[in-house]
Amino acid sequence: MMHRIYGVLAGVRTARFTFLILAYADAMAFTLWLSYLLRFDFVIPGEYYQVFGVCVWWIIILKLLMLLASGQFRDSLSYFSTPDLSRVFAVCFISSSAIAAVNLLGGLSMAPPRGVILTDFVLSCAMLCGGRMALRLLRERFLVPQSRPHRDSRRVGIIGAGDTGSDLCLELLAKRWLGLRPLAFFDDVRPRNTRLHGIRLWGRPESLRDPGTCAKLDEIIIALPTAPAARLREIVLILQQTKLPFRIIPSMTQLAMGTVSVTNLRPVAIEDLLGRDVVQIDTQDIREMIAGRVVLVTGAGGSIGSELCRQIAAFAPRTLVMVERSEAALFPIEQELIEHGWGNMLIPFVADILDTSCMEAIFARYRPYAVFHAAAHKHVPLMESQPAEAIRNNILGTAQIAEIARTYQVDRFLLISTDKAINPTSVMGATKRMAELLVQAMQTRADTGTKFMAVRFGNVLGSSGSVVPIFTRQIAAGGPIKVTHPDVTRYFMTIPEAVSLVLQSASHGQGGDIYVLDMGDPVKIVGLARQMIELSGLTPDTDIRIEFTGLRPGEKLFEELSHSAENVKPTSHPKILRFICEPLSHEVVKPILEGMASILCTAPPHELKLLLKKVIPEYTPQMQEDRKQEGVEEIAQAEGSTAVFLPESTVPIGSV
């Protein structure tokens, strides 16, 4: 049975090959004959008939061999794009050059005259390209089911007549089943009445304020992935005034990573309006670090960890080991990556980084080249009341993973840190600062071959617990939006942007480095709340009220990006800075960790905070909540009653 199937398939391939040879041969003969007619005004002298009869055969054979060498017989005729155009042009040019060489060496008895050769070159290009393009249009517009126009097509205006807007227009014209018919372009640069793919440019986006213009459109698509956020805010304001529905194409980062296309339209989000410049990433460096290697990500189900997995998978590692304590968090990212076709490289583990035997078994089996340590407790108010858990996970967990990475000769170990580690006022920030210190201390060991480094950045939009999803829920509930303080500011960046810079830092790091990402300008939270209300089509203080609740324990009015004892140096990437400071030795850090572990289960919260302050003098602990819970009336009394003892060799970072 299988032999019969193979025989049928072979027969089909042979028939197709024969058909293509005959079709191309007829086309080449026709263009050569037409070139003679055009050259001699349709009255060919008798002596040239004999020349044509001689040269037509070897010219056709030459062109068929060139087409075969360029792969044209393997291509589907109805799929034709710029690379195919380049190959067809190359075939015609080389063939015509060879014919001209025969004319020069053998004379008119062996080859057509120069005028015929030139005309034949032009006609051959037109015939091959035009025929292929006609077949493509036939397929796109009539043959495939997707070519059928939608019964209720919406008239679409595209803001942005650059490359992205042009690509979007082509996609919508080809995929008419989407129900979006491009009718107009709007652009700040191109002159009015310019046409792209037959669609006229109606003017600048401001022309949408004209009611007559709006009446001709059903929807607007913003195709400006590199536009400044200030201009994007102006355009969104115009569109809100017109009452037309509008969407935006994905970010340039997502388009560059190849995870989405220009037709993956979405509503305009607050991330689009926050003033972030497009980050340029050297993907080649990242690819050299990841491609064909084993990479391990801890906290793989979290906001940062899951995005790390997405971007790492796009660079084709041999194996991506995903470690996550929460089964519910790990499952969605695993399924998402499988749907993208990356399932063969995934090794998901539901495991705790504090489970020593389990983590050692994972490292021993897979021998990762790079480790991205994103597992951490990050919610500031929760950790204020549970410092033991923050110390256990953020400090001791990091110490254990770093030690295992050194033992199994991991090449690169990168800790995801936070700007809250600078002059911390929260337990979360203090534990992250201590994690930075121990990562630097690991680099001081003489027996390490691993490059240990850390990356700090501020808040990421859309992560669990960030203000954006909280504000979204509050707006959906009708308000009020609760802001802690009218003057509170935070640094923000998108999750894909932060992760791409993390990967860039890891590819450049030499060990012992603390990198900080350029977070841009701080954003006022109350302003963020107002913009989100407006994006929802509502009016701040009228439809949705903003309520101020006061700073929570451990929170700051503003975030800082560097410690006073750190010197800032630029790196080869303009968005990444490197902090230089004298690290603590491993001999100093090790007894500190042992001291923390020994009292973790018995010491009350206020004593653990004082322990952190002894190691990190710039830490300002919040004791009020502890006093409420434990009945401690005075901080001084808490300090006097502490049972925390650190080794005499302990050197606080403030003294370095």
Side-chain angles (χ1 to χ4, degrees), residues 22-55:
L22 293 175
Y24 278 122
D26 289 342
M28 295 302 100
F30 175 75
T31 57
L32 184 61
W33 176 246
L34 185 58
S35 300
Y36 268 94
L37 290 175
L38 293 175
R39 166 65 178 80
F40 295 106
D41 295 329
F42 293 89
V43 182
I44 303 174
E47 63 269 21
Y48 285 102
Y49 275 111
Q50 293 182 345
V51 177
F52 175 80
V54 172
C55 67

Side-chain angles (χ1 to χ4, degrees), residues 251-493:
S251 69
M252 184 57 75
T253 301
Q254 293 172 302
L255 292 173
M257 292 296 296
T259 55
V260 295
S261 68
V262 291
T263 54
N264 291 116
L265 306 176
R266 59 174 175 79
V268 175
I270 191 64
E271 293 94 327
D272 302 311
L273 309 180
L274 283 182
R276 301 288 303 167
D277 295 330
V278 175
V279 175
Q280 302 297 325
I281 299 299
D282 186 351
T283 56
Q284 184 57 37
D285 285 350
I286 301 173
R287 190 174 303 279
E288 290 175 0
M289 176 183 66
I290 293 174
R293 292 189 164 119
V294 179
V295 180
L296 185 146
V297 177
T298 69
S303 305
I304 298 297
S306 60
E307 182 63 24
L308 274 167
C309 292
R310 292 185 192 97
Q311 295 196 22
I312 289 170
F315 288 104
R318 184 171 80 247
T319 304
L320 174 57
V321 182
M322 304 189 299
V323 177
E324 170 59 54
R325 184 166 66 178
S326 168
E327 177 194 23
L330 183 59
F331 181 75
I333 182 61
E334 180 204 14
Q335 294 303 304
E336 178 184 334
L337 296 180
I338 290 173
E339 289 171 5
H340 278 88
W342 294 324
N344 61 330
M345 69 177 65
L346 304 181
I347 306 292
F349 279 103
V350 178
D352 193 330
I353 60 170
L354 290 161
D355 187 337
T356 306
S357 59
C358 178
M359 296 310 300
E360 285 186 342
I362 292 172
F363 274 75
R365 180 175 180 182
Y366 295 100
R367 299 281 178 166
Y369 174 83
V371 172
F372 293 88
H373 180 44
H377 290 317
K378 67 174 186 176
H379 294 288
V380 171
L382 278 175
M383 293 303 102
E384 282 303 303
S385 60
Q386 302 178 77
E389 184 60 26
I391 292 171
R392 178 184 292 109
N393 201 45
N394 294 2
I395 298 177
L396 302 182
T398 299
Q400 174 161 287
I401 292 294
E403 181 62 35
I404 296 174
R406 184 198 65 81
T407 302
Y408 288 94
Q409 300 177 343
V410 170
D411 187 80
R412 296 166 192 271
F413 179 97
L414 188 138
L415 166 71
I416 303 296
S417 189
T418 171
D419 57 1
K420 293 175 177 61
I422 306 305
N423 300 320
T425 59
S426 65
V427 167
M428 194 280 279
T431 55
K432 278 294 192 177
R433 177 59 180 151
M434 187 65 212
E436 291 179 355
L437 295 179
L438 72 88
V439 164
Q440 285 188 304
M442 290 293 293
Q443 193 65 44
T444 67
R445 297 181 63 169
D447 59 347
T448 185
T450 303
K451 300 180 182 72
F452 289 95
M453 62 199 86
V455 175
R456 292 177 190 156
F457 50 85
N459 300 274
V460 286
L461 291 161
S463 66
S464 61
S466 72
V467 295
V468 172
I470 292 174
F471 286 174
T472 301
R473 289 195 299 271
Q474 291 172 348
I475 291 171
I481 282 187
K482 296 181 179 181
V483 179
T484 56
H485 193 282
D487 296 324
V488 69
T489 62
R490 291 290 183 267
Y491 292 99
F492 284 103
M493 64 183 0

Side-chain angles (χ1 to χ4, degrees), residues 14-85:
T14 302
R16 179 181 182 277
F17 185 75
T18 303
F19 169 77
L20 289 177
I21 287 179
L22 293 175
Y24 278 122
D26 289 342
M28 295 302 100
F30 175 75
T31 57
L32 184 61
W33 176 246
L34 185 58
S35 300
Y36 268 94
L37 290 175
L38 293 175
R39 166 65 178 80
F40 295 106
D41 295 329
F42 293 89
V43 182
I44 303 174
E47 63 269 21
Y48 285 102
Y49 275 111
Q50 293 182 345
V51 177
F52 175 80
V54 172
C55 67
V56 65
W57 298 107
W58 71 262
I59 288 176
I60 289 174
I61 292 172
L62 171 66
K63 290 185 177 181
L64 288 175
L65 290 174
M66 292 301 302
L67 289 167
L68 180 64
S70 68
Q72 293 300 302
F73 290 126
R74 294 190 300 271
D75 291 348
S76 176
L77 291 178
S78 64
Y79 287 85
F80 188 73
S81 59
T82 304
D84 301 297
L85 176 64

